[in-house]
Structures are given as C-alpha cells and as structure tokens.
C-alpha cells in the first residue's frame, strides 16, 4: 500500500512538474545569473593507448550536477517524496563535451536517467568511452611516462552563463580496473578560464591530467633482452677461427636479426623526431656490428697473407707479437694455452731440429773431405803415371769419375737445403701474419665486449 501511494504521488508530481516545462532553455529565473555545474570524473578503465596515432581510449563515468529552478516541489505535499528518476532527455542538460576528442563517432551521450531532488538539484551519471588526443613522448620507451589531458567544457555557453566547478581536486580512481600495460600515478584536475579569438567572453573548462607509467616487463623480455643477448654474439665473431669460414656470416646474421627487432619497434612508435631509447640502442648496436664485420674482413686478409706478402714490420713485431700477444694470452697459431705436455713437445721438436742440423753438417763435412781427396788425386803427376803404367791410368780415371759424382751430389744437396730453408722462411712469415691476425682478433673482441657492456649499462641507467 505504501509503494502504491508513492507511485501515485510520483505520477502526480511528474505531471505537475513537466506540464509547462521546456528543456530548451537554461533553467534560471534570472537570465543574468550564472548556472553552476559541478563536474566529477571517475576513471574506470584504460581500454587502449595507441602510441602511433597518439590516441587514448578510456572508459569514464561522468557525473554532472546542477540546480534547476523550475523543478522544485514541497515533499510534504507528495507524501515525503524527495527524489524521482526520469530520463535525461526530459530535462535541460549542459552541453559539456570533451574538447580534445579524437573519435570519428559524433553520437549523442548515453541517455541514462537523472536523479531529480525536491530542491531542484539534478544529478546525471553517464558512462562514456572517450577517445582523446594525447601527445606521446616515446624518448624513453619502454621506460617512459605519459601525461594525457582530458579537457571538459561547455561548447556554446560562456562563463557568464554556465560555470564549471570541479567537485574534487583530482579524478576519482577508487573504481579503476588495473591495466596490464599502464600504472596510474594520479589524475589531478585544474580549472582553466580561456578567452578564445572568436569570442570576447571567457570559457571555463576543467582539465584532468592522467599520469601514466608504462609497465616495461613485457618489452624487456621481448625486445630489450633478446637485443642484448644478440649484441653479445657480435664480439664472439672475433673468437671464431679464421679458417672456419663463418666469421663474416655470423656478423651478417646478427645484423639481420637486429634489423628485424628494429622494424618491430618502428611499427609501434609514432613517426616522430623523438627516437626512442631502445631504438637508439638498436642503432648503436647495429653500427657496432657493422664495424666489427668490416674489421673481421680486414683481419681475415691479414690471416691469409702468404709467402708473397711482405715481412711483418718491426714495430708490429714489437708491439703486437711481443707485448699484445702476452697481454691477451695469444700463443702460437693453433694453440689455446700452454701446458707441460705442450712444452715437452716443443723441446722434442727443438731436439729433433738440432739432430737434423747436426746430421746435415756431418754429411756435408764428410762429402767435403771426399771432395778434397778427389782434388788431390786429380792433380797431374808424371812420376805417378810412369810408375803405375796402364793400371794406374785406369785407377785415375775411376777416381776422377767418382769425384765428379760427389761434386754433383753436393750441389743437389745444397739446392735441396736452400729450397727447404726458403720454404721454412716463407712458412714462418705466413705464421707471423696469422699470429698478428689472431692478436688483433682478441684485441677487438675485448674492445667490443666492453662497448656492449657499457651500452647495456647506459640504457638501463637512463631507464632508472
């Protein structure tokens, strides 16, 4: 019975209030009086942040309240009825819009009900999905913070007709749904009064500044960490043996991999002059890898210097072979470290070379003594020939033939020894160039390792 009575009075009240009411005019008794509209924004959810197009999509609850001078009643006459809920299109509503709207849809606001109180206060709560323009600064992407403004104001009423008052110093974040990409660090509200060039009257507005902080974990694991790991592969190209044939191909492969990641970042970022931090890191790393590939090509040319090359200069022999090789622990070509076994093999090799030299010297001395004997026997001596007669002549001819064989044999052995000596000299020259290339490989490997390390520390330090 009570509910029926209240419904009866509500119908009666509605008919009496809207009998001569018009929602086309501003509801004030004095046209010179300013109508105050209280605005409150509740942020419910961030739907999307389009960095490339610089558009913020948000789900908001917009609360507006004002006093209508023609919609008042005495609640005692209506059985204590103090409020009713009616469609919002039946009453006058302020034309408050989002100034920096970036949506192609110009549809009307959601036609929700308004709450009308007996003293004329109207409260209108309306949900809205807004798309606002936001100037995105991606200089420190993916460790960046953004500030997006939401400016609300009346489109046609100036400040002398409708004044906007923000009920709170900031937007309401109590019902905010946690976002997977962004953290909310505040939403302060500021009232501005601006005089535009078209009109002399002031136009008030309320600007809500949404402070966002990007959650960088996703980008660290998918963009930054792979780049760091790939960049550490570039210096290892200097550690590869030159005879493997994979030094240059490794550098080119790493360069192509970083190019793919660079294109992924370019698709996300807006085409602006501000290059993101991760983009700078990619460019620096790609430049470093290009330099390392070029140096690898030069070092491989040094490695493959053959017997036709000039000898290693004296300064390179002193600086690279004597000092730098000890600093970077580079030993003979083909060795990685020294060990007692290696030293023992070297000693045996030296002993073998000394034995070979001693045997070679002994053979040469023996052949030289025989040659001297032959020289003595070949001297013409009349008494010798007379004493021995025909038999002596035969012995002399045999001795001469034998001595000529020894002479030919000595010449052949000396020729072979000279060839072996030249071959060893040319081989030693090539080994020296290979060692120079190996020392330079180790030198540049550590230089590029230090560069990659400091570049990684630098980007993390700027992000912090």
């Amino acid at each position: 019975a009570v509910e029926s009575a209240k419904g009866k009075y509500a119908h009666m009240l509605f008919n009496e209030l809207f009998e001569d009411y018009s929602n086309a005019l501003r509801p004030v008794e004095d046209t010179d009086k300013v109508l105050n509209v209280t605005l409150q924004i509740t942020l419910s959810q961030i739907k999307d942040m389009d960095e490339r197009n610089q558009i913020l999509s948000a789900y908001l609850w917009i609360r507006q309240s004002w006093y209508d001078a023609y919609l008042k009643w005495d609640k005692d006459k209506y059985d204590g009825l103090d409020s009713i809920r009616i469609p919002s299109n039946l009453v006058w509503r302020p034309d408050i819009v989002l100034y920096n709207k970036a949506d192609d849809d110009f549809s009307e606001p959601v036609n929700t009900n308004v709450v009308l109180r007996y003293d004329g206060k109207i409260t209108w709560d309306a949900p809205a999905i807004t798309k606002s323009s936001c100037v995105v600064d991606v200089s420190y992407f993916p460790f960046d913070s953004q500030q997006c403004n939401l400016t609300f104001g009346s489109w046609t009423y100036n400040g002398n007709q409708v004044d906007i008052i923000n009920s709170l110093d900031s937007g309401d974040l109590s019902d905010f749904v946690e976002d997977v990409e962004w953290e909310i660090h505040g939403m302060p509200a500021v009232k501005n009064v601006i005089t535009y060039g078209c009109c002399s009257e002031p136009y008030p507005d309320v600007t809500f500044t949404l402070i966002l902080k990007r959650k960088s974990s996703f980008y660290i694991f998918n963009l930054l960490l792979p780049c760091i790991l790939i960049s550490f592969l570039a210096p290892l190209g200097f550690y590869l043996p030159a005879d493997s044939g994979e030094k240059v191909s490794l550098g080119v492969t790493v360069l192509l991999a970083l190019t793919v990641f660079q294109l992924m970042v370019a698709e996300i970022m807006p085409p602006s002059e501000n290059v993101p931090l991760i983009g700078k890191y990619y460019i620096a790393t790609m430049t470093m890898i290009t330099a390392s590939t070029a140096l690898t090509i030069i070092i491989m040319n040094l490695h493959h210097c053959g017997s036709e090359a000039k000898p290693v200069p004296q300064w390179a022999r002193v600086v690279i072979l004597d000092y730098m090789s000890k600093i970077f622990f580079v030993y003979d070509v083909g060795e990685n470290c020294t060990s007692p076994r290696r030293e023992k093999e070297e000693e045996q090799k030296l002993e073998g070379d000394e034995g070979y030299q001693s045997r070679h010297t002994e053979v040469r001395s023996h052949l030289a003594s025989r040659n001297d004997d032959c020289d003595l026997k070949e001297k013409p001596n009349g008494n010798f020939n007379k004493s021995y007669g025909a038999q002596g002549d035969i012995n002399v001819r045999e001795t001469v033939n034998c001595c000529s064989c020894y002479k030919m044999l000595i010449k052949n052995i000396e020729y072979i020894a000279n060839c072996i000596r030249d071959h060893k000299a040319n081989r030693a020259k090539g080994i020296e160039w290979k060692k120079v290339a190996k020392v330079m490989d180790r030198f540049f490997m550590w230089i590029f390792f230090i560069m990659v390390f400091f570049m990684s520390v630098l980007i993390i330090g700027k992000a912090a």
Side-chain angles (χ1 to χ4, degrees):
V2 173
E3 293 295 333
S4 300
K6 286 188 176 294
K8 176 182 177 182
Y9 285 111
H11 282 281
M12 185 186 304
L13 174 62
F14 179 80
N15 293 329
E16 292 179 1
L17 287 176
F18 291 94
E19 183 177 0
D20 296 325
Y21 181 80
S22 175
N23 60 357
L25 299 176
R26 191 166 55 97
V28 290
E29 296 177 351
D30 187 1
T31 55
D32 295 332
K33 186 177 180 181
V34 178
L35 178 64
N36 294 324
V37 178
T38 303
L39 180 65
Q40 178 181 342
I41 299 297
T42 300
L43 179 63
S44 177
Q45 184 181 359
I46 295 177
K47 295 184 67 66
D48 182 38
M49 168 64 88
D50 189 355
E51 292 93 347
R52 188 169 185 83
N53 296 317
Q54 300 189 7
I55 294 176
L56 171 67
S57 299
Y59 180 47
L60 304 176
W61 299 344
I62 303 175
R63 169 172 287 191
Q64 305 175 51
S65 61
W66 65 94
Y67 285 91
D68 194 318
Y70 301 108
L71 296 178
K72 298 180 182 179
W73 71 89
D74 186 2
K75 62 180 180 178
D76 295 334
K77 293 183 179 181
Y78 298 94
D79 196 22
L81 186 62
D82 59 351
S83 63
I84 58 174
R85 287 158 178 80
I86 57 176
S88 59
N89 59 352
L90 297 179
V91 300
W92 178 88
R93 295 177 301 184
D95 57 345
I96 294 178
V97 296
L98 180 63
Y99 280 178
N100 56 334
K101 185 177 181 181
D103 192 5
D104 296 335
D105 187 10
F106 292 97
S107 59
E108 294 294 329
V110 180
N111 192 17
T112 57
N113 290 338
V114 298
V115 179
L116 177 60
R117 288 178 54 86
Y118 68 95
D119 56 355
K121 182 179 181 181
I122 299 177
T123 303
W124 181 27
D125 285 330
I129 297 177
T130 61
K131 291 185 177 181
S132 58
S133 59
C134 178
V135 179
V136 179
D137 184 10
V138 293
S139 299
Y140 292 95
F141 175 85
F143 307 100
D144 56 330
S145 298
Q146 305 295 335
Q147 293 186 359
C148 296
N149 296 328
L150 300 172
T151 303
F152 293 90
S154 176
W155 190 253
T156 58
Y157 293 106
N158 55 50
N160 298 325
Q161 297 170 334
V162 174
D163 189 17
I164 302 176
I165 302 172
N166 49 330
S167 60
L168 300 174
D169 294 334
S170 64
D172 187 9
L173 300 176
S174 58
D175 296 321
F176 178 72
V177 179
E178 193 71 21
D179 190 72
V180 295
E181 185 178 0
W182 297 95
E183 295 178 356
I184 305 297
H185 287 186
M187 193 178 178
V190 177
K191 180 181 177 180
N192 304 306
V193 179
I194 302 175
T195 301
Y196 294 97
C198 64
C199 314
S200 59
E201 297 84 2
Y203 282 84
D205 63 65
V206 177
T207 300
F208 296 87
T209 303
L210 188 59
I211 302 175
L212 303 174
K213 173 68 176 177
R214 191 189 301 272
K215 296 179 181 179
S216 57
S217 301
F218 174 81
Y219 300 98
I220 288 176
F221 285 101
N222 290 278
L223 292 179
L224 186 58
L225 189 59
C227 176
I228 294 176
L229 295 178
I230 291 174
S231 61
F232 272 102
L233 287 177
L236 291 177
F238 292 106
Y239 194 75
L240 274 176
D243 296 329
S244 65
E246 298 293 334
K247 294 172 72 70
V248 178
S249 61
L250 176 62
V252 174
T253 303
V254 171
L255 187 62
L256 291 176
L258 286 178
T259 304
V260 173
F261 282 101
Q262 175 68 20
L263 292 176
M264 292 175 61
V265 175
E267 290 179 357
I268 302 173
M269 297 296 98
S272 63
E273 296 181 355
N274 295 329
V275 181
L277 185 62
I278 190 172
K280 294 178 181 178
Y281 180 72
Y282 283 161
I283 294 298
T285 307
M286 292 168 67
T287 304
M288 183 195 68
I289 293 173
T290 303
S292 67
T293 306
L295 289 172
T296 300
I297 295 173
I298 296 173
I299 293 173
M300 287 186 67
N301 285 328
L302 293 178
H303 176 83
H304 291 287
C305 285
S307 59
E308 296 82 4
K310 295 181 179 180
V312 178
Q314 184 62 29
W315 67 267
R317 194 186 304 273
V318 174
V319 175
I320 299 177
L321 297 181
D322 293 343
Y323 292 100
M324 292 181 64
S325 61
K326 296 178 182 178
I327 294 173
F328 296 104
F329 302 101
V330 177
Y331 305 98
D332 292 339
V333 176
E335 294 184 12
N336 292 326
C337 59
T338 57
S339 62
R341 181 179 179 183
R342 175 66 67 181
E343 293 175 356
K344 185 176 180 180
E345 291 176 357
E346 291 294 333
E347 292 177 357
Q348 292 177 356
K349 182 178 179 181
L350 290 175
E351 291 177 357
D353 292 340
E354 291 175 357
Y356 171 77
Q357 292 291 339
S358 62
R359 288 193 299 271
H360 179 66
T361 305
E362 183 180 354
V363 170
R364 289 193 61 185
S365 62
H366 177 70
L367 292 176
S369 62
R370 297 296 299 271
N371 191 17
D372 293 338
D373 295 338
C374 292
D375 292 338
L376 291 174
K377 292 178 179 179
E378 286 179 352
K379 291 179 180 180
N381 192 335
N383 296 328
F384 179 81
N385 294 330
K386 292 178 180 179
S387 302
Y388 290 94
Q391 185 68 29
D393 188 27
I394 294 172
N395 293 333
V396 169
R397 285 197 299 270
E398 291 178 354
T399 303
V400 170
N401 293 331
C402 182
C403 290
S404 62
C405 291
Y406 277 119
K407 286 183 179 181
M408 185 64 65
L409 182 61
I410 290 174
K411 290 181 180 179
N412 292 335
I413 291 175
E414 287 181 351
Y415 177 77
I416 293 172
N418 291 331
C419 290
I420 293 175
R421 192 180 301 112
D422 294 339
H423 176 72
K424 283 188 175 181
N426 293 332
R427 185 171 176 271
K429 188 192 306 181
I431 290 175
E432 284 185 345
W433 279 116
K434 288 182 179 181
K435 189 172 182 180
V436 169
K438 190 173 182 181
V439 172
M440 299 307 297
D441 266 337
R442 295 292 175 86
F443 171 72
F444 285 116
M445 182 187 73
W446 286 110
I447 290 295
F448 280 90
F449 262 129
I450 294 172
M451 290 175 60
V452 172
F453 176 75
F454 276 105
M455 285 169 54
S456 303
V457 171
L458 184 63
I459 187 175
I460 296 174
K462 282 189 176 183

